[in-house]
C-alpha cells in the first residue's frame, strides 16, 4: 500500500507540470491581443513595443513559460492587468469565497446523493427507486442558473426570507460563517450549486449499488447468516470506488465554482473571477485561476485514487 | 460407499417442494414437487443438466431465492424444524449455523474487498459471538483444517490473491466455520482444474465424514457423483426422475434419461467414435408437456407417457423411478444403451 501511495504521488507531479503547460499555452490559443485592453486605441507602435517588452510578451513562448513557471513556483503569479492587484491575492480571495460554498454544497450533495442512490439501488424497481431516479433526472437536467433565479424569486422576492445575492453588507473580507446575518447569504447559492451533484451522485450510487447487490458474493453473505445491515455494509464498500471517482469530479466542479451560479448570485468566487478575467482578457488572472483550479483537481483525484485503493485491494496492484 | 439406509430418523426431509419464478410476462415452474430425505452423515448427489432444478433446490432450502420474484411451496424440515417458515433472526441463525453452502465459483462467491479472515471472523462472530482474537484463532484453525498451507499468513489474503483451489478451500472453511449439520455443495469442483478437483473432492468427503454432516451435492458430472455420493437423485425439468444408491443407479439405470446421461459421458469410446448425445433440446420450463417431461426426447416413448406425469415406482428396495417403461430400461444392458438400441 505504501508503495502505491508513493508511486501515485510521484505520478501526480508530471500531471501537474503538464497541466501548467496547458494552462499557460491555452491563453495564447485564443485570438486577440491581451495588450488591447490596457492600451488606448490610439497608442503608438513605440508605446506598444515598450509595454509588450515590460510584460515579457516579446520573448519566445517557451521562454515566457519557463519564466512564468519559475515565478509561479515562488508563489508569484504576477499582477492583474485589469486591477493591478497581485494575482495570488485575487485568486486566493476568490477561491476562499467559492470554498465557502463548496464547504456546504459538497457534504450536502455527497451525503444526500449517496443516501438517495443507495436506497434506490438496494430496492431496484420499487416505488422508492423510481421516485429517486426521477428526482435525480430532474436535478441533473434543471439548468442551475434557472433554478437559482426561481429560488431567488421564491425565497427573496415572494417570501422575503433570504437575501437574493451577494455576500452581505460586511462584504467578503469580513464575512463570517458564524453570523446568521452573513451565513444566510449562503443558503440559496449552496442549494442551487448542490442540485446537479446530488442528481449525478444519486444516479451513479444507484447504479453501483444495484449492480453489486446482484453479485454472487451477496448470496454467500446471506448464506453464512449475515443480517441485511451487514450485507448492505459489504455492498456499499464494493460500490464505493466508482462513486468516489464521480464525487472527486463533482468536488472539482464545486471548488471551480460555477460561472453561471456565481454570476446569478453575484458571489465573488472563482467562477465569477474567471468570468471577469475572460471578458477583460486578463491573462495573468486567467492563468493563475486555471492553474490553481487544475491543481486542486489533480490533488482531488490523487485523494480519490488513494481512497479507492484503501477500499479495494485489487486497485493497489495496478 | 454404503447405502446409509435405516440409521435413525432423517436429518432433512423435503416434501413436494415447488418453486415458481414469477416474471412480468411469464411464470416458470422451476421445481415441480421435489421430495427426498437425507440422513446425517449421508451424501446425496443431485444429478442433472443445466436448468433441471438442482441449484434451485439448494437455494430454496436456505431461502436464498429472491423473495419478490419466487413462490416457494412445500415442506422442508431439518431435524424437525420447519425451514420455510423461518424468518428474521431465526433464519440468520439457521443459515450458516445449521446449514451451509459451498458455491460453484469461489472467485465471485467471496467478497473481493474483504480478506479471507474477515469473512471467517464475521461468520464466526455472527453465530458464536466472542472476541475478534478468539474468532481469528478459530479462523486460522479452520484454514488449517481445509489444508491451506501457511494459514496464519493466508488468512490476511484477499480472494484474488489465492489460486482457484485455495479459494475453494477457503470457501469450504467458511461453510464449515460454524459446524453445520447439513452441507449444500453447488458444483463445488466445476470451476477448478482437473487435478485440483480431485483434491477438493477428497477434502470434502473427508470433512463430511469427520463432521458427520448430511450433504447435498449438486453436480452434472457422473464421475464426481460416483466418487462422493452414497445415493443419487437424477433431476429433469424440476422433478426427481430417479433416485437410489449410487452404485445401483449408475450400473443399472431405470430411467431412460439416466441411461442417456450415462451413455453420453466420455468413457471407453474409441478416439474416432462419436459420443452419443441426447436428441432434442433441454426442456422449456415455461411450456412443459402435460405428461412425462422427458417424453419429447425419449426413444422409448409410448402414448401413455404423454397423458400425465408418471407415478413413482420402486423397482428395488431404496430405489425410485418415475417412468412407465422402467422395466424395459432395467432389462437393457448398459453396453447397448450407448447405441440407443433398446430392442
Amino acid at each position: 500500500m505504501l508503495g502505491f501511495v508513493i508511486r501515485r504521488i510521484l505520478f501526480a507531479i508530471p500531471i501537474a507540470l503538464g497541466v501548467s503547460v496547458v494552462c499557460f499555452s491555452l491563453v495564447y490559443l485564443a485570438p486577440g491581443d491581451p495588450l488591447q485592453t490596457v492600451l488606448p486605441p490610439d497608442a503608438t507602435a513605440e508605446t506598444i513595443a515598450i509595454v509588450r517588452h515590460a510584460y515579457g510578451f516579446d520573448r519566445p513562448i517557451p521562454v515566457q513559460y519557463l519564466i512564468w513557471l519559475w515565478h509561479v513556483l515562488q508563489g508569484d503569479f504576477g499582477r492583474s492587468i485589469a486591477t493591478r492587484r497581485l494575482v495570488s491575492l485575487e485568486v486566493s480571495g476568490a477561491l476562499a469565497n467559492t470554498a465557502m460554498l463548496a464547504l456546504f454544497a459538497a457534504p450536502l450533495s455527497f451525503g444526500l446523493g449517496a443516501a438517495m442512490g443507495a436506497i434506490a439501488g438496494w430496492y431496484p424497481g420499487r416505488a422508492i427507486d423510481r421516485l429517486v431516479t426521477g428526482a435525480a433526472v430532474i436535478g441533473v437536467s434543471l439548468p442551475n442558473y434557472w433554478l437559482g433565479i426561481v429560488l431567488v424569486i421564491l425565497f427573496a422576492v415572494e417570501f422575503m426570507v433570504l437575501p437574493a445575492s451577494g455576500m452581505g453588507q460586511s462584504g467578503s473580507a469580513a464575512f463570517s460563517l458564524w453570523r446568521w446575518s452573513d451565513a444566510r447569504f449562503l443558503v440559496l447559492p449552496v442549494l442551487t450549486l448542490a442540485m446537479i451533484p446530488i442528481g449525478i451522485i444519486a444516479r451513479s450510487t444507484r447504479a453501483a449499488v444495484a449492480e453489486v447487490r446482484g453479485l454472487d458474493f451477496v448470496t454467500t453473505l446471506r448464506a453464512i447468516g449475515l443480517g441485511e445491515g451487514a450485507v448492505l455494509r459489504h455492498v456499499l464498500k464494493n460500490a464505493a470506488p466508482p462513486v468516489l471517482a464521480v464525487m472527486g469530479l463533482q468536488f472539482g466542479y464545486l471548488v471551480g465554482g460555477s460561472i453561471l451560479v456565481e454570476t446569478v448570485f453575484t458571489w465573488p468566487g472563482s467562477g465569477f473571477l474567471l468570468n471577469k478575467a475572460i471578458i477583460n482578457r486578463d491573462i495573468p488572472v486567467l492563468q493563475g485561476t486555471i492553474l490553481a483550479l487544475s491543481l486542486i483537481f489533480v490533488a482531488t483525484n490523487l485523494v480519490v485514487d488513494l481512497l479507492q485503493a484503501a477500499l479495494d485491494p485489487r486497485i493497489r496492484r495496478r | 460407499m454404503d447405502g446409509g439406509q435405516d440409521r435413525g430418523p432423517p436429518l432433512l426431509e423435503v416434501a413436494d417442494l415447488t418453486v415458481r419464478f414469477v416474471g412480468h410476462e411469464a411464470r416458470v415452474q422451476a421445481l415441480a414437487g421435489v421430495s427426498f430425505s437425507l440422513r446425517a452423515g449421508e451424501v446425496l448427489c443431485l444429478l442433472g443438466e443445466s436448468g433441471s432444478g438442482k441449484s434451485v433446490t439448494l437455494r430454496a432450502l436456505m431461502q436464498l431465492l429472491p423473495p419478490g420474484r419466487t413462490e416457494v411451496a412445500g415442506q422442508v424440515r431439518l431435524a424437525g424444524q420447519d425451514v420455510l417458515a423461518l424468518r428474521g433472526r431465526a433464519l440468520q441463525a439457521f443459515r450458516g449455523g445449521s446449514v451451509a453452502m459451498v458455491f460453484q465459483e469461489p472467485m465471485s462467491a467471496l467478497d473481493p474487498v474483504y480478506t479471507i479472515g474477515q469473512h471467517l471472523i464475521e461468520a464466526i462472530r455472527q453465530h458464536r459471538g466472542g472476541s475478534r482474537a478468539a474468532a481469528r484463532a478459530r479462523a486460522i484453525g479452520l484454514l488449517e483444517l481445509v489444508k491451506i498451507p501457511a494459514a496464519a499468513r493466508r488468512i490476511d489474503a484477499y480472494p484474488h490473491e489465492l489460486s482457484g483451489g485455495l479459494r475453494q478451500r477457503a470457501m469450504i472453511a467458511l461453510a464449515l466455520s460454524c459446524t453445520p449439520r447439513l452441507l449444500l455443495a453447488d458444483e463445488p469442483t466445476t470451476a477448478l482444474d482437473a487435478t485440483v478437483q480431485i483434491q477438493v473432492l477428497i477434502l470434502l468427503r473427508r470433512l463430511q465424514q469427520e463432521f458427520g454432516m448430511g450433504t447435498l451435492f449438486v453436480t452434472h458430472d457422473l464421475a464426481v457423483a460416483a466418487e462422493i455420493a452414497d445415493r443419487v437423485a437424477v433431476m429433469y425439468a424440476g422433478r426427481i426422475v430417479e433416485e437410489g444408491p449410487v452404485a445401483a443407479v449408475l450400473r443399472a439405470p431405470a430411467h431412460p434419461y439416466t441411461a442417456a446421461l450415462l451413455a453420453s459421458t466420455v468413457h471407453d469410446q474409441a478416439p474416432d467414435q462419436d459420443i452419443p448425445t441426447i436428441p432434442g433440446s433441454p426442456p422449456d420450463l415455461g411450456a412443459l408437456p402435460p405428461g412425462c417431461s422427458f417424453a419429447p426426447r425419449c426413444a422409448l416413448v409410448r402414448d401413455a407417457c404423454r397423458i400425465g406425469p408418471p407415478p413413482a415406482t420402486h423397482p428395488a428396495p431404496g430405489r425410485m423411478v418415475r417412468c412407465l417403461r422402467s422395466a424395459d430400461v432395467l432389462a437393457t444392458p448398459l453396453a447397448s444403451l450407448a447405441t440407443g438400441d433398446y430392442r
Side-chain angles (χ1 to χ4, degrees):
Chain A
M1 183 69 192
L2 187 67
F4 176 87
V5 173
I6 292 169
R7 236 180 316 137
R8 201 53 200 79
I9 289 173
L10 289 179
F11 208 61
I13 293 173
I15 295 177
L17 271 178
V19 161
S20 74
V21 172
V22 172
C23 271
F24 178 82
S25 46
L26 204 63
V27 179
Y28 289 86
L29 295 175
D33 189 329
L35 291 180
Q36 277 172 354
T37 51
V38 280
L39 290 166
D42 57 346
T44 61
E46 199 181 339
T47 319
I48 293 172
I50 291 169
V51 175
R52 189 181 295 278
H53 182 72
Y55 278 105
F57 289 149
D58 54 344
R59 300 196 213 185
I61 287 177
V63 177
Q64 285 188 45
Y65 167 71
L66 287 176
I67 293 170
W68 174 76
L69 186 64
W70 177 244
H71 287 148
V72 162
L73 287 175
Q74 295 167 314
D76 175 13
F77 290 82
R79 282 177 183 276
S80 159
I81 292 175
T83 65
R84 305 300 307 147
R85 292 182 56 208
L86 281 172
V87 170
S88 49
L89 288 180
E90 292 258 14
V91 173
S92 60
L95 272 179
N97 289 338
T98 297
M100 217 148 11
L101 293 182
L103 192 70
F104 289 92
L108 175 70
S109 54
F110 293 3
L112 201 59
M116 284 167 59
I119 293 171
W122 191 246
Y123 299 108
R126 303 259 200 100
I128 183 78
D129 176 26
R130 273 177 244 142
L131 189 75
V132 167
T133 309
V137 170
I138 293 173
V140 173
S141 7
L142 280 186
N144 53 11
Y145 52 87
W146 177 85
L147 180 71
I149 292 169
V150 168
L151 288 178
V152 165
I153 292 172
L154 279 180
F155 292 96
V157 180
E158 288 291 325
F159 306 141
M160 291 195 283
V161 285
L162 289 167
S165 67
M167 293 185 77
Q169 284 162 350
S170 41
S172 77
F175 188 88
S176 167
L177 282 177
W178 313 117
R179 266 199 312 271
W180 174 241
S181 59
D182 286 351
R184 58 207 286 268
F185 284 85
L186 279 165
V187 177
L188 291 183
V190 163
L191 281 181
T192 309
L193 213 49
M195 202 56 68
I196 289 178
I198 288 176
I200 291 176
I201 288 163
R203 284 171 54 158
S204 46
T205 309
R206 187 217 172 266
V209 169
E211 189 201 322
V212 172
R213 185 181 170 280
L215 294 179
D216 288 350
F217 76 78
V218 178
T219 308
T220 308
L221 297 176
R222 294 212 170 94
I224 61 174
L226 297 189
E228 289 302 285
V231 175
L232 179 64
R233 208 174 58 239
H234 280 260
V235 168
L236 289 181
K237 194 177 172 190
N238 275 275
V243 175
L244 277 173
V246 174
M247 284 181 174
L249 289 176
Q250 292 304 308
F251 186 76
Y253 151 80
L254 287 175
V255 172
S258 162
I259 292 182
L260 296 172
V261 173
E262 289 187 356
T263 306
V264 166
F265 289 100
T266 45
W267 189 268
S270 45
F272 197 68
L273 180 67
L274 215 48
N275 188 20
K276 249 185 350 188
I278 291 168
I279 290 170
N280 296 335
R281 295 203 56 76
D282 196 339
I283 287 178
V285 171
L286 214 49
Q287 284 172 327
T289 314
I290 295 175
L291 183 67
L293 293 179
S294 310
L295 292 182
I296 289 172
F297 237 99
V298 172
T300 309
N301 278 322
L302 177 65
V303 171
V304 166
D305 277 1
L306 297 181
L307 280 178
Q308 284 181 326
L311 285 173
D312 189 338
R314 291 166 300 179
I315 294 173
R316 281 172 230 162
R317 295 205 304 177
R318 284 180 216 146
Chain B
M1 277 146 238
D2 59 49
Q5 285 155 24
D6 303 327
R7 293 193 195 150
L11 171 69
L12 174 73
E13 283 176 285
V14 177
D16 208 20
L17 184 63
T18 308
V19 173
R20 266 193 210 93
F21 291 125
V22 188
H24 286 295
E25 292 107 36
R27 292 166 156 242
V28 171
Q29 178 101 7
L31 286 189
V34 165
S35 305
F36 61 88
S37 66
L38 181 76
R39 282 181 194 79
E42 188 183 30
V43 180
L44 174 63
C45 253
L46 297 181
L47 268 174
E49 58 195 12
S50 314
S52 59
K54 300 165 296 178
S55 296
V56 174
T57 306
L58 293 198
R59 281 172 162 71
L61 294 187
M62 288 185 87
Q63 288 194 37
L64 286 173
L65 297 167
R69 283 173 283 142
T70 43
E71 291 170 357
V72 181
Q75 275 282 320
V76 177
R77 300 192 88 84
L78 182 81
Q81 196 175 24
D82 182 358
V83 171
L84 296 182
L86 291 172
R87 294 288 178 272
R89 296 223 170 265
L91 179 61
Q92 285 173 32
F94 169 79
R95 288 170 173 171
S98 303
V99 181
M101 176 117 79
V102 177
F103 294 88
Q104 176 173 348
E105 185 27 271
M107 185 69 215
S108 57
L110 293 168
D111 185 339
V113 305
Y114 281 71
T115 63
I116 301 302
Q118 285 168 336
H119 281 91
L120 287 163
I121 290 167
E122 198 171 10
I124 292 166
R125 297 188 74 202
Q126 167 81 14
H127 290 283
R128 312 195 156 188
S131 70
R132 189 163 286 276
R136 188 180 164 86
R138 180 172 165 78
I140 294 176
L142 283 162
L143 294 180
E144 283 165 352
L145 184 73
V146 296
K147 299 271 190 286
I148 290 185
R153 187 165 54 80
R154 290 259 167 65
I155 189 172
D156 294 318
Y158 287 94
H160 71 266
E161 293 171 330
L162 298 180
S163 68
L166 288 186
R167 268 201 293 272
Q168 193 58 296
R169 284 166 193 266
M171 183 80 233
I172 292 169
L174 184 63
L176 299 185
S177 61
C178 300
T179 51
R181 308 175 65 176
L182 174 64
L183 183 68
L184 308 179
D186 188 358
E187 308 218 21
T189 58
T190 308
L192 303 177
D193 292 342
T195 50
V196 181
Q197 275 190 16
I198 311 280
Q199 295 168 5
V200 169
L201 268 187
I202 292 169
L203 174 76
L204 266 175
R205 184 71 179 162
R206 202 199 78 219
L207 291 172
Q208 177 266 327
Q209 285 167 341
E210 216 166 274
F211 285 75
M213 285 178 296
T215 303
L216 267 183
F217 196 103
V218 159
T219 184
H220 61 263
D221 188 336
L222 293 169
V224 167
E227 182 70 35
I228 196 160
D230 297 315
R231 285 190 300 135
V232 292
V234 181
M235 296 192 71
Y236 190 81
R239 284 197 179 88
I240 294 179
V241 293
E242 174 164 13
E243 194 197 321
V246 60
V249 171
L250 295 189
R251 206 172 293 137
H255 195 282
Y257 176 63
T258 317
L261 269 187
L262 277 167
S264 58
T265 48
V266 184
H267 221 254
D268 302 323
Q269 290 96 340
D272 57 341
Q273 194 187 334
D274 283 344
I275 298 160
T277 54
I278 304 176
S281 49
D284 174 6
L285 294 174
L288 286 178
C292 173
S293 308
F294 189 60
R297 302 168 76 184
C298 183
L300 296 174
V301 65
R302 290 283 180 273
D303 289 344
C305 300
R306 305 189 203 272
I307 294 168
T313 53
H314 300 274
R319 289 194 67 172
M320 183 283 285
V321 63
R322 291 174 193 277
C323 179
L324 299 178
R325 306 214 47 200
S326 56
D328 300 308
V329 183
L330 278 167
T332 314
L334 253 186
S336 57
L337 285 177
T339 55
D341 177 19
Y342 287 95
R343 265 150 283 231

